[in-house]
Amino acid sequence: MLRFDVPPVNSNTIRFDAFITFVVCLLALYAGLPWLMVILAVMGFVRGFLGHYKCPSHRVFAKTMEKMNIAGRKENAGAKMFANKLLFIAATVASVLYFTGNEFWRVPAMVLVVFSALEWAFSFCAACWVYGAWYKVFPPKMSS
């Protein structure tokens, strides 16, 4: 459901967060730095479970972009938090696979490359679309 208990996020700041995810995944895959996936897992955990404004990098990006007047429109943070929970899961799976010596760590990293590229380049958040579709099919029950 839409989250109104957390502050809304700026669209361009979220896109920049996705760009950072994209770059880190590319560095992990092609520069031989797979341990960087741990950083994405931490960022996904903080933004997904605690909120975007608890993440130091997001706060810096948001303040900087707001000062430059390029932060974009405000969006509900609920769907973006859901997307970051998926980032946390994918990056954690990639990290665990890497540290156990399994080459399949590349699969979740490649998936993150694709979906983070869609977010930063086209502002299309696949996880947000799923989030919205889920609540259209299964609306939350209101207690009285």
Side-chain angles (χ1 to χ4, degrees):
M1 78 179 85
L2 294 176
R3 298 278 311 257
F4 296 105
D5 58 331
V6 292
V9 292
N10 296 313
S11 60
N12 289 340
T13 306
I14 293 297
R15 290 177 78 182
F16 193 70
D17 287 340
F19 178 73
I20 297 299
T21 299
F22 176 78
V23 170
V24 169
C25 287
L26 286 181
L27 288 171
L29 287 165
Y30 300 111
L33 303 170
W35 53 267
L36 289 175
M37 298 303 289
V38 173
I39 295 169
L40 290 181
V42 171
M43 289 169 67
F45 178 82
V46 171
R47 287 188 248 151
F49 292 97
L50 304 177
H52 286 78
Y53 291 100
K54 300 285 185 185
C55 179
S57 66
H58 180 85
R59 288 194 346 230
V60 168
F61 301 153
K63 284 188 188 284
T64 303
M65 293 176 98
E66 285 169 2
K67 282 183 182 176
M68 297 171 66
N69 202 26
I70 58 170
R73 69 186 187 290
K74 294 284 188 180
E75 297 180 345
N76 185 281
K80 302 302 182 181
M81 288 178 74
F82 176 71
N84 275 284
K85 288 172 185 166
L86 296 179
L87 169 64
F88 166 70
I89 292 167
T92 300
V93 167
S95 297
V96 168
L97 288 171
Y98 169 71
F99 288 118
T100 59
N102 192 324
E103 283 298 312
F104 282 113
W105 70 267
R106 296 175 182 277
V107 174
M110 285 187 246
V111 169
L112 287 173
V113 165
V114 170
F115 289 115
S116 62
L118 286 172
E119 173 67 30
W120 72 261
F122 304 111
S123 196
F124 175 73
C125 176
C128 300
W129 182 84
V130 169
Y131 180 87
W134 175 266
Y135 283 105
K136 284 181 184 170
V137 175
F138 302 104
K141 294 187 170 100
M142 302 303 256
S143 58
S144 44

